[in-house]
């Protein structure tokens, strides 16, 4: 698939007819017409092209060539040794791939080390909230994003959904790691490898009958709009919920947390003109690209069951009703229904009443409140979940796929 020629076509005035025809058949038409201004981005300006029709013109042709040449097994073996930001790329990589990776690993000129350091400290300080929201908020919200759920389900990673979900749940932790973007850290490595996986999936998924049958007309997956949808389900959602819960977040920490996600979007290949420059801009973009597209899908419901099954392994399922109730409280009843979460009316009401008190106590805002014992059980279950999936030092093996889901 010639991504370069497709990109050039859509960037020209003559592309309007083609784009309109595709949009009519695409599920993206369910969201509002793209009106978000690049003036609200970290770039401060841009062409204003709808990110629905923008992919990754640097990574896509390179990874397609790597796959078509049969180089993936050799490349994965070599890249398994590349784990630190300061490491040289392994010898023996194909020349075109090495050239791309050397460019892709460069931090943006606007990255602010002080803000990145502060964001890491903030993520550690608020770890119980951030971890729970990443895993049981954002992680489960992703199953209500049909495109994301289907891209996961029908790609190679869909054959081992437990592993795939674990990697997704850990992304937030890796971004907030104390060493994330430092020489001894690994977030640059993770971002570049993830960007290459996205490019590989864009090449492979159109060949999948299962994905093509359910894609709703989308011809190339993981557009820049899709990546920003996921970005908002993590960064924007987590910050919004923490503030709604009454978690103390000062202006400097809030700005730093946004900055680490801005840098991470850039490192994942998102054009700077689509990366919000403030939380106000982020919330405005989120309302346009994320909120309207949340929906049920069979693939999403299957992924939900896998994730809840992982949580159940912590205590043989004893707290699964609590986790379901907490997730419905966190995501809202409508999203809970979309992904097939069981309704827990008594527990949901209890959590809605008592959870804010527990947060206020943890934030030092109120003395030890009269919190029902079941809430302490919930907090301990959340803590175990965070430790299981976000524990420091758990390696992530990110391999470039060369096939789709075998089934």
């Amino acid at each position: 698939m010639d991504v370069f020629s497709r990109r050039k076509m859509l960037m020209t005035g003559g592309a309007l007819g083609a784009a309109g025809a595709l949009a009519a058949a695409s599920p993206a038409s369910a969201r509002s017409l793209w009106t978000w201004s690049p003036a609200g981005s970290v770039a401060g300006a841009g062409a204003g092209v709808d990110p629905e029709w923008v992919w990754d013109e640097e990574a896509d042709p390179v990874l397609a060539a790597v796959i078509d040449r049969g180089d993936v097994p050799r490349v994965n073996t070599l890249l398994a040794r590349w784990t630190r930001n300061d490491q040289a790329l392994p010898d023996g990589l194909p020349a075109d791939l090495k050239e791309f990776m050397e460019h892709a690993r460069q931090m943006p000129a606007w990255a602010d080390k002080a803000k990145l350091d502060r964001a890491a400290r903030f993520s550690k300080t608020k770890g119980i909230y951030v971890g729970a929201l990443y895993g049981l908020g954002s992680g489960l919200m992703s199953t209500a994003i049909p495109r994301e759920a289907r891209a996961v389900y029908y790609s190679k990673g869909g054959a081992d959904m437990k592993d795939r979900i674990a990697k997704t749940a850990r992304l937030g932790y890796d971004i907030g790691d104390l060493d994330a973007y430092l020489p001894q850290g690994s977030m640059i490595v993770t971002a570049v490898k993830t960007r290459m996986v996205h490019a590989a999936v864009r090449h492979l998924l159109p060949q999948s009958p299962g994905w093509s049958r359910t894609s709703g007309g989308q011809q190339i997956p993981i557009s820049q709009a899709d990546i920003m949808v996921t970005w908002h389900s993590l960064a924007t959602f987590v910050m919004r919920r923490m503030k709604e819960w009454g978690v103390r977040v000062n202006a400097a920490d809030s700005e730093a947390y946004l900055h680490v996600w801005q840098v991470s979007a850039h490192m994942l290949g998102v054009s700077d003109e689509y990366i919000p420059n403030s939380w106000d801009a982020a919330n405005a973009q989120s309302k346009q690209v994320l909120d309207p597209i949340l929906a049920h899908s069979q693939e999403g419901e299957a992924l939900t069951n896998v994730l809840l099954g992982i949580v159940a392994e912590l205590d043989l399922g004893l707290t699964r009703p609590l986790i379901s109730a907490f997730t419905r409280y966190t995501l809202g009843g409508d999203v809970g229904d979309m992904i097939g979460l069981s309704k827990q009316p008594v527990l949901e009401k209890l959590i809605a009443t008592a959870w804010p008190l527990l947060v206020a106590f943890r934030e030092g805002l109120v003395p030890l409140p009269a919190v029902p014992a079941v809430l302490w059980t919930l907090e301990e279950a959340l803590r175990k979940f965070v430790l299981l999936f976000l524990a420091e030092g758990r390696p992530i093996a990110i391999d470039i796929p060369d096939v789709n889901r075998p089934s």
Side-chain angles (χ1 to χ4, degrees):
M1 186 170 295
D2 188 351
V3 178
F4 269 125
S5 63
R6 186 177 170 84
R7 158 80 164 161
K8 289 174 181 175
M9 177 189 74
L10 291 170
M11 287 294 286
T12 64
L16 294 178
L22 286 171
S26 170
S29 61
R31 67 175 172 84
S32 304
L33 183 67
W34 177 255
T35 58
W36 193 81
S37 171
S41 71
V42 295
V49 175
D50 189 337
E52 174 65 15
W53 308 108
V54 181
W55 293 271
D56 192 333
E57 64 180 16
E58 295 177 347
D60 290 352
V62 175
L63 269 296
V66 169
I67 293 170
D68 292 343
R69 291 194 303 257
D71 283 343
V72 171
R74 178 169 65 92
V75 166
N76 281 334
T77 298
L78 293 170
L79 291 182
R81 303 198 299 265
W82 186 49
T83 58
R84 282 174 50 122
N85 297 334
D86 58 359
Q87 279 182 286
L89 295 178
D91 293 331
L93 288 173
D96 54 351
L97 182 65
K98 187 171 184 178
E99 180 181 4
F100 161 73
M101 292 176 66
E102 288 289 8
H103 172 69
R105 71 187 298 187
Q106 303 305 311
M107 297 277 284
W110 44 265
D112 186 318
K113 182 181 181 300
K115 289 182 180 178
L116 294 175
D117 290 344
R118 187 175 189 117
R121 293 194 300 272
F122 172 74
S123 292
K124 293 299 180 184
T125 302
K126 308 298 183 182
I128 184 64
Y129 312 122
V130 173
L133 284 169
Y134 281 150
L136 296 174
S138 305
L140 278 165
M141 185 192 295
S142 70
T143 69
I145 301 172
R147 282 188 177 183
E148 184 171 345
R150 287 168 179 146
V152 170
Y153 188 88
Y154 291 109
S155 64
K156 184 178 181 180
D160 185 354
M161 289 187 285
K162 179 176 179 180
D163 177 70
R164 178 63 180 79
I165 291 173
K167 291 175 181 177
T168 302
R170 286 221 49 211
L171 177 63
Y173 173 83
D174 288 337
I175 288 175
D177 183 65
L178 291 173
D179 295 332
Y181 286 107
L182 296 178
Q184 68 271 24
S186 62
M187 188 55 208
I188 292 175
V189 174
T190 296
V192 173
K193 288 183 177 181
T194 301
R195 185 176 175 183
M196 293 192 295
V197 169
H198 286 169
V201 170
R202 277 189 287 267
H203 182 64
L204 292 167
L205 266 189
Q207 305 169 39
S208 163
W211 181 81
S212 297
R213 186 177 63 251
T214 61
S215 68
Q218 187 183 32
Q219 296 185 8
I220 305 175
I222 318 180
S223 67
Q224 299 251 310
D226 292 327
I227 295 175
M228 288 311 297
V229 164
T230 301
W231 190 93
H232 288 297
S233 75
L234 289 156
T236 309
F237 167 76
V238 168
M239 180 55 67
R240 185 186 304 148
R241 280 294 179 269
M242 282 197 292
K243 290 189 173 181
E244 289 174 355
W245 285 355
V247 177
R248 292 194 295 182
V249 182
N250 62 43
D253 286 341
S254 177
E255 184 178 354
Y257 183 75
L258 173 63
H259 187 69
V260 73
W261 277 101
Q262 291 168 329
V263 170
S264 299
H266 176 97
M267 297 302 292
L268 288 169
V270 176
S271 172
D272 286 356
E273 75 167 272
Y274 301 126
I275 304 173
N277 63 8
S278 68
W279 283 119
D280 285 344
N283 283 311
Q285 189 185 98
S286 179
K287 289 178 181 178
Q288 184 172 75
V289 302
L290 173 61
D291 296 359
I293 55 87
L294 295 174
H296 171 267
S297 68
Q298 292 182 338
E299 296 83 359
E301 189 166 341
L303 291 171
T304 298
N305 287 329
V306 171
L307 181 52
L308 290 179
I310 294 170
V311 176
E313 292 178 9
L314 297 176
D315 59 4
L316 302 178
L318 295 177
T319 57
R320 180 161 177 166
L322 262 178
I323 295 298
S324 294
F326 176 76
T327 303
R328 291 183 71 91
Y329 166 69
T330 301
L331 295 179
D334 289 344
V335 176
D337 291 341
M338 290 175 190
I339 61 179
L341 285 176
S342 62
K343 295 183 178 181
Q344 306 289 337
V346 175
L347 289 175
E348 289 173 44
K349 184 175 181 180
L350 181 63
I351 290 171
T353 301
W355 181 256
L357 291 175
L358 189 58
V359 171
F361 167 64
R362 290 300 188 200
E363 292 297 297
L365 300 176
V366 298
L368 183 63
V371 174
V374 69
L375 262 293
W376 298 106
T377 302
L378 170 63
E379 188 191 47
E380 182 58 26
L382 295 176
R383 194 178 304 280
K384 286 181 179 179
F385 177 83
V386 171
L387 289 174
L388 177 65
F389 285 106
L390 312 183
E392 187 171 1
R394 286 194 68 198
I396 299 179
I398 300 178
D399 294 327
I400 298 169
D402 55 1
V403 295
N404 291 312
R405 183 185 177 114
S407 60

